[in-house]
Amino acid sequence: MSSVQAAAGVAQTLAARRDEIARGWADLPLFTTVYGGQRDEAVAEATRLADAVVELAGSGRTDDFLAPSFAAVRDVLSRITSERLRSGGDLQQVMDEIGQLRQPMTAIFDGQPGATTVPVGLVAMTELIGSLRVAAVVALLSESDEVVARQRQELMEISTPVIRLWDGIVAVPLIGTLEIGRASCRERV
């Protein structure tokens, strides 16, 4: 069985047991911390994640983070992980909590107790959870890049004060070198 077929099988199983999985996910620290006792909201967000994971698994492209099927997963994970970090978690803790998403699905794909082989669905599901962890890191890194760019712009703006003297006339203190970034302060006025 190919990995695409295994992922499609995972998608079918996840879709059939979506509500059960979403309720299980909503009870995990990733959701309980973010939604602080608001179970209905936690279940709703967990359901959105489950739907996105079903779509991703159905595409068979669980390791292609640029695939269109990954967009919904990135969106949901970005919201959840950002809120989780704001509520006091660190990156390692968030990654561990994303890894815990495997727990409610393991029983579904685990196969028979005492089996000598690992079910293909369990392997595909484990790969999928690994992809979710990587997608969360990518989302967090891109978010931190945006924050750094925004902070850089804000620092540039406050480092070059512009004082309006009269209509159409401004004063700009010149201490140090006047580089392109600082010179562009005229355009802000």
Side-chain angles (χ1 to χ4, degrees):
M1 177 181 280
S2 74
S3 63
V4 172
Q5 291 170 323
V10 168
Q12 289 175 340
T13 304
L14 291 176
R17 313 243 337 241
R18 178 193 76 149
D19 293 338
E20 173 187 346
I21 291 168
R23 284 190 306 273
W25 284 354
D27 292 332
L28 294 175
L30 182 64
F31 290 93
T32 58
T33 305
V34 169
Y35 294 101
Q38 298 172 340
R39 179 135 168 66
D40 291 341
E41 288 183 31
V43 169
E45 191 70 1
T47 301
R48 282 189 281 279
L49 180 59
D51 290 339
V53 168
V54 167
E55 179 185 338
L56 176 62
S59 76
R61 299 177 67 185
T62 59
D63 59 349
D64 183 0
F65 306 112
L66 300 176
S69 55
F70 236 107
V73 170
R74 275 193 310 270
D75 291 345
V76 174
L77 280 177
S78 179
R79 273 194 313 273
I80 295 169
T81 55
S82 294
E83 285 300 318
R84 181 64 184 98
L85 290 173
R86 282 188 207 104
S87 68
D90 61 30
L91 183 59
Q92 182 60 50
Q93 190 174 19
V94 171
M95 292 301 101
D96 291 344
E97 290 174 1
I98 289 173
Q100 292 173 5
L101 296 175
R102 182 181 313 121
Q103 293 170 356
M105 297 189 305
T106 301
I108 295 169
F109 293 101
D110 207 6
Q112 303 298 321
T116 57
T117 61
V118 176
V120 174
L122 183 59
V123 172
M125 184 273 305
T126 301
E127 178 182 306
L128 185 60
I129 294 296
S131 294
L132 293 180
R133 291 172 104 172
V134 172
V137 169
V138 168
L140 291 170
L141 289 176
S142 67
E143 182 178 311
S144 64
D145 287 347
E146 292 169 9
V147 168
V148 168
R150 190 171 51 251
Q151 288 173 341
R152 185 175 289 130
Q153 178 62 31
E154 290 171 0
L155 281 173
M156 180 63 74
E157 289 175 6
I158 64 173
S159 70
T160 308
V162 177
I163 303 164
R164 185 182 306 268
L165 299 174
W166 295 281
D167 193 26
I169 299 181
V170 296
V172 180
L174 292 178
I175 299 172
T177 60
L178 183 63
E179 49 197 48
I180 297 286
R182 289 182 69 197
S184 69
C185 69
R186 304 183 327 206
E187 297 170 12
R188 287 184 298 160
V189 179

